Each structure stands twice: as C-alpha cells, then as structure tokens.
Amino acid sequence: MSHAGSHGAQVEHQQCIIAGGGPGGLMLGLLLARAGVTVTVVEKHADFLRDFRGDTVHPSTLDVMDELGLLDEVLKIPHTRAEQLHAEMGGQQVTIADFSRLKSKCRFIAFMAQWDFLDFIAREARKYPNFRLLMRTEVTELTNSNGRITGIKATSLDGDITLHADLVVGADGRHSKVREHAGMQVNAFGVPTDVLWMKLSHQPNDPPYTMGHGGPRMGIVLIDRGDYWQCGYVIRKGSFDDIKAAGLDAFREEVGEALPLPTERMQEIERWNDVFLLRVRIDRLERWWKPGLLFIGDAAHAMSPIGGVGVNLAIQDAVATANILAAPLREGRLKDKHLAKVEKRRRFPTRATQKLQLMMKRRQKPDDADSTSNDTAAADQTPPNQHTTASSDAAAAPERKGPPRFVRALAGSPVLARLAGRLMGLGFRPEHIRHQAAPAVSKQPDSPNDSFS
C-alpha cells in the first residue's frame, strides 16, 4: 500500500475504515485485524490524552480482555477497583450496585485512565501488519458510488487523502461528524441535567468510597482516582452560564454544602477552567447503517454518564460487529444484510439500557424512550436530522427532593442491588468473542501516527 504525496493522495483499497479511535473504534480495529481483515483506524486528535472521559472498565469488558488473553496485562495498568457502588441517603451509606456475585472472572469495575487503556489496545492492534492507526486524521467527507458509501476523504499531516474500503464504520462519538456527513436520522430523548466535572485532592481521612453519590439530592458523584477525587456535580440543563454569572465563590459554597468532604476542599477550584461541562444527552440512530456504512458506540447511541456504561456498550458493539462482519469482510462478500444483523443484535441492549437510564435520571414518572412524541426537551438544542421524543415535562416541572424512586428501591434491597450490579456490570446482552483469529505475524512500531509502507 502507498501513502504518497501531500495533497489529494490516493490510498489503495482496504477492507474496513474505522472513523474514531475511542474504545469502540480501537477495539473493533483490534478484533478485525486479529481476524485477518485489512483495517485502518483514523483519529482526529494527536493522542488520547483528554480529561473526564469514560474511565470505567466493567466486568463485561474485562471478560473480553480475558478471552483475548490480555486480562493480566490490562490489569497492570494503574487502576482502582469497586466491588460495590454506594450512595449517601439521609446521612447513611447504602449500596446501590453490587458486583460481588457476578458470574464473571472480574467481579468489580476497574477505574483506569482511558488514555492508558486506549494506548494498550492500540499497542496490541499494531502487532498485526494488516492494522493501521492514523492520528491527526479527520474525516471531511464520505465518498459514494451508486448510493453506496465507498470510503472517506480526510485531512491529515500529509494533506488531503482519500481512503477506499468495503465498509466505513462511524465510531467517532456522540458528536459524530461521520453521521452528520451521512445525514443519519437521530432520535434524542430529553434529559434535564448536565454534569460539571472537577478534580479534588484525596486526603487520608476522606470517606472510603471507590465510587459514591452524595448530597441531599444525590447531586454529587465521587470517583476515587488514587491521588485525587474525580468529582461530578449535577446541574439543571443549560444552567452553567447562570452558575458562572453568580461567581466562583457562590459555586464553591453550593457544591461544598453537598460534598461529603470538608467544604474547604472546594478552594482547590481556583478558576472556571478547573470545571469541565459535560452536556448530558441520550439519543440513538433511527437506523444504524446504510450501504457501506455502519455506526457503533456513542455515534449510534449516546448514553448518559450514569453507571459509566457508555464505554462498555461501545466495546460490546465492537465485539458483536467483529463476530458478524469479520468473515464477510475478509472474504469479500459483505452485504447489507450483515450490517442489519449487527443493528438487530445490539438494538435491544441499547434500548433497554437507555430506558433504565431515563428511569434513574428522572424523579417524575419516566417517559417511554420508545415513545413517538415530538416534544422538544427544555434547554436542548436539536441539530438537523434529529428529533426529540421524550417529553419536556421532566425538565420543566419543579424538582422533587431526594433521589429518584428507582434508586431508593435499590437502596432498600440487597437483591435489587445485585440485579443493578448485573445490569451495570455485564449489561442486558454481554458479547463474547466468537470469530477466529489470524496469527499476529509481526509487531508494528509504536509510533504516534502509523504510515502506509
């Protein structure tokens, strides 16, 4: 294969292009390369170093790593473990998810920096000569012929390039440019909250949480990252500008009152740049594919950060995609029916998880995530090709005090806490590797941007 010239460079045909070097995209790249498919992953950033990304690795993902023979190596990455998740209610610590009885080799959630996890997956994938990872390469256009997607145009360090493939996979996250270029129809469900993420120091006398929820309305999320707390503060959607207008001192005081840590800890937040806004959204594509194009992970179905399930659903999507598509791609017999089969396989766990998240998010009676209402969620900007199907009532109605009824039920029942651990840890339909592997012939260099040779 050649990668010549600096402008309008043409790269010969490959079997699969994956847009997006996140967990789902890189895992799919590894699995397809392992199965003998020629695959290129393109990632617009120069590296994986970004704060406040999904840093939870669930038992379902660890089971996949075990099936790949990589579990021992991945657990060498610095991480903390949680066999249970806790919440503070009425001054009492209660268990809302229990992973200790899962039928899994790893009965815990591992909290590890996502950039370390992605670096690990990329290193493993580079052991296969049929795998390429192109960093600083951003998709600008999809190419098509007779109604079928045939590849991508992208900007790269070498200028504009064109890559052709039997299949393009959009795995470029909740703000997917690929699905925008493809004009895909998105169904969005109104979510009345956003989350502000911060880092606070971890002191010896702090509570023994690995992950916990605190505050009178469960508005605080604390994740133990070793030498610091990853702290999330839940706010009304669209209210961050109002919070900033009130001033940093008022914000410190407001969060400090809900924080299960000494209030003076908030003085570590010295500027608004220390606060990261996550705009929470839940959506999914009306259809996940069109001829020559498939979407997985957040590009197909954006998840709330509740339970940290988004990363692990993306990886489950990748496993199912590789199981179904590896042989047709490798043998040059990919059909539309194979893409439809991937969506059919992953549609139920996606819808069920989103419905559960909506139940946990709302204090009012949750709207059906599969309803056909066309109401627009309050304070939600609806982009082109996207309509909102959840009612705005949850965002407009006065907030009830206390945690959602669903969460209160979890706290009162060890059986329900174990069920929550099962659904959060393994999901509604855990995937297992069922395709055959080709041998890893040679190891590619661990370069930041692999070039074709």
Side-chain angles (χ1 to χ4, degrees):
M1 302 176 74
S2 64
H3 190 212
S6 59
H7 295 283
Q10 195 79 12
V11 180
E12 75 178 57
H13 195 91
Q14 56 233 282
Q15 291 164 321
C16 184
I17 296 166
I18 300 169
L26 277 179
M27 179 61 76
L28 179 58
L30 167 62
L31 295 177
L32 290 179
R34 177 179 177 270
V37 175
T38 302
V39 58
T40 297
V41 177
V42 297
E43 166 57 43
K44 67 179 181 179
H45 294 101
D47 53 45
F48 303 123
L49 291 171
R50 275 162 301 283
D51 278 333
F52 306 121
R53 298 182 69 167
D55 292 341
T56 56
V57 182
H58 287 210
S60 60
T61 298
L62 295 172
D63 284 345
V64 169
M65 303 310 292
D66 187 42
E67 292 166 4
L68 290 171
L70 300 175
L71 180 61
D72 290 343
E73 290 301 311
V74 80
L75 289 179
K76 291 179 181 178
I77 299 173
H79 66 279
T80 55
R81 302 182 182 189
E83 294 183 356
Q84 297 177 329
L85 300 184
H86 304 286
E88 180 186 307
M89 295 185 191
Q92 300 292 320
Q93 181 174 299
V94 296
T95 300
I96 59 173
D98 185 354
F99 310 108
S100 63
R101 298 191 183 184
L102 291 180
K103 293 181 179 180
S104 171
K105 187 169 184 177
C106 298
R107 300 176 181 179
F108 56 84
I109 287 180
F111 296 92
M112 65 176 63
Q114 188 177 113
W115 54 80
D116 288 338
F117 182 68
L118 295 179
D119 278 337
F120 176 83
I121 298 299
R123 284 197 303 272
E124 290 299 318
R126 286 191 182 103
K127 294 178 180 179
Y128 297 90
N130 49 318
F131 174 88
R132 295 291 184 272
L133 173 60
L134 299 179
M135 306 298 287
R136 296 181 182 176
T137 304
E138 183 171 5
V139 178
T140 57
E141 186 180 339
L142 297 173
T143 62
N144 68 83
S145 176
N146 299 320
R148 185 176 190 87
I149 301 301
T150 58
I152 65 170
K153 292 184 178 181
T155 59
S156 73
L157 287 175
D158 292 332
D160 297 336
I161 62 173
T162 301
L163 306 177
H164 294 300
D166 297 327
L167 176 66
V168 174
V169 178
D172 52 339
R174 63 182 58 213
H175 303 294
S176 172
K177 290 296 184 182
V178 174
R179 78 182 187 187
E180 182 180 317
H181 294 318
M184 306 299 288
Q185 181 67 52
V186 184
N187 295 326
F189 309 106
V191 181
T193 57
D194 290 325
V195 179
L196 301 179
W197 287 110
M198 301 156 276
K199 290 182 179 180
L200 298 174
S201 64
H202 193 298
Q203 303 298 330
N205 294 326
D206 286 345
Y209 298 146
T210 303
M211 180 175 182
H213 298 255
R217 293 178 181 152
M218 292 187 64
I220 291 287
V221 179
L222 285 177
I223 302 174
D224 184 356
R225 303 309 301 271
D227 59 346
Y228 70 92
W229 292 105
Q230 182 176 327
C231 176
Y233 184 59
V234 180
I235 63 171
R236 178 174 51 85
K237 179 168 286 296
S239 65
F240 188 39
D241 286 343
D242 295 336
I243 291 173
K244 288 195 291 185
L248 195 56
D249 287 339
F251 174 70
R252 293 192 194 103
E253 182 178 354
E254 179 181 336
V255 178
E257 289 178 354
L259 196 67
L261 298 173
T263 56
E264 59 267 20
R265 196 74 56 84
M266 282 299 297
Q267 296 302 314
E268 297 174 4
I269 306 301
E270 298 179 348
R271 58 187 70 84
W272 286 115
N273 285 344
D274 296 333
V275 182
F276 174 82
L277 171 64
L278 173 65
R279 292 183 172 88
V280 177
R281 60 191 290 181
I282 298 178
D283 66 34
R284 65 173 175 264
L285 293 180
E286 183 72 25
R287 191 172 79 165
W288 296 22
W289 64 276
K290 59 172 51 178
L293 178 66
L294 175 69
F295 293 88
I296 65 170
D298 274 2
H301 47 72
M303 296 289 172
S304 159
I306 291 176
V309 298
V311 168
N312 300 277
L313 271 176
I315 289 175
Q316 297 295 301
D317 286 355
V319 175
T321 301
N323 286 342
I324 295 168
L325 300 187
L329 278 170
R330 185 179 60 244
E331 297 164 9
R333 54 180 180 84
L334 182 70
K335 305 292 184 184
D336 292 349
K337 66 179 181 180
H338 298 118
L339 307 183
K341 188 175 181 180
V342 173
E343 179 181 354
K344 182 178 180 181
R345 173 74 185 175
R346 297 302 302 161
R347 184 189 302 129
F348 165 70
T350 295
R351 292 188 175 188
T353 302
Q354 289 181 330
K355 180 62 179 288
L356 185 62
Q357 288 193 325
L358 290 170
M359 290 174 63
M360 295 180 72
K361 181 64 81 171
R362 290 175 181 147
R363 290 172 173 81
Q364 309 293 331
K365 181 179 179 180
D367 295 304
D368 190 342
D370 294 317
S371 69
T372 57
S373 167
N374 288 318
D375 294 336
T376 301
D380 243 344
Q381 298 290 324
T382 304
N385 300 317
Q386 178 168 313
H387 64 271
T388 302
T389 60
S391 168
S392 62
D393 292 346
E399 183 182 19
R400 295 179 183 176
K401 292 184 178 181
R405 182 183 304 172
F406 184 85
V407 177
R408 293 199 302 270
L410 291 178
S413 171
V415 174
L416 289 180
R418 289 196 290 272
L419 176 60
R422 165 65 172 78
L423 296 178
M424 190 182 300
L426 298 179
F428 286 91
R429 179 175 285 161
E431 303 288 351
H432 300 279
I433 294 172
R434 306 194 187 283
H435 56 276
Q436 303 224 338
V441 178
S442 64
K443 184 176 177 64
Q444 298 294 313
D446 292 339
S447 61
N449 191 72
D450 289 342
S451 61
F452 294 92
S453 57

